[in-house]
Amino acid sequence: MPEAAPAPDSWEYSLYIPGDPRAVTVCRRTLRLILTLHGLTHLLDTAELLASELVSNAVLHTKGPACLRLRFRDGVLQIGAWDADPEPPGLPSGPGEPADAESGRGMALVRACADLWHWQPLSRMGRRGKLVWCELNAA
């Protein structure tokens, strides 16, 4: 039996999803499979939480399709969610915000768990929108 080829040092996956809350589960399970196959199981729990928050925001707070993007390069995993709404995401709650605030808690989790996060306007398949992304160092 031939030896398996070594995993590339960089890779990218995109999963286009409908505006359906069930897509969040599909994204989590897909992310787990990809990270397991690439030997990044030590990132699974945090990456799954971050992807869930980003995809949930894209599916629940915007209309139309969305996309989960996973990119690994130079020892950094980037998790992104594209949606068709060009407006910036709800900003993370600050220390002075009430704990029961209706919005911003998901992005506060992203800010707390990721090494870096940001958003940018982005077009996909001829549609304007945004990409909200975060990074985890694999080391």
Side-chain angles (χ1 to χ4, degrees):
M1 180 173 247
E3 272 187 49
D9 292 339
S10 62
W11 45 262
E12 183 174 334
Y13 293 87
S14 295
L15 177 63
Y16 292 90
I17 57 175
D20 182 334
R22 293 173 289 193
V24 177
T25 300
V26 171
C27 289
R28 278 197 314 262
R29 291 183 179 169
T30 302
L31 174 134
R32 279 191 157 288
L33 178 61
I34 290 168
L35 294 185
T36 299
L37 291 174
H38 283 283
L40 297 170
T41 56
H42 61 288
L43 297 178
L44 279 174
D45 293 335
T46 303
E48 186 176 18
L49 172 67
L50 294 169
S52 294
E53 291 300 332
L54 296 178
V55 172
S56 291
N57 283 345
V59 170
L60 299 175
H61 300 298
T62 66
K63 300 230 185 278
C67 177
L68 170 67
R69 186 177 76 179
L70 303 172
R71 180 188 299 180
F72 186 77
R73 183 176 37 186
D74 299 327
V76 175
L77 175 65
Q78 186 182 78
I79 303 165
W82 172 86
D83 63 60
D85 183 357
E87 293 299 314
L91 297 176
S93 301
E97 294 290 319
D100 60 350
E102 284 296 313
S103 64
R105 289 184 303 220
M107 291 310 297
L109 275 173
V110 171
R111 180 178 66 185
C113 295
D115 295 316
L116 177 68
W117 83 275
H118 203 5
W119 78 278
Q120 64 195 62
L122 186 68
S123 295
R124 285 256 185 193
M125 300 184 320
R127 296 183 181 186
R128 289 180 16 147
K130 68 179 168 295
L131 177 70
V132 182
W133 54 269
C134 61
E135 292 183 348
L136 291 174
N137 288 315

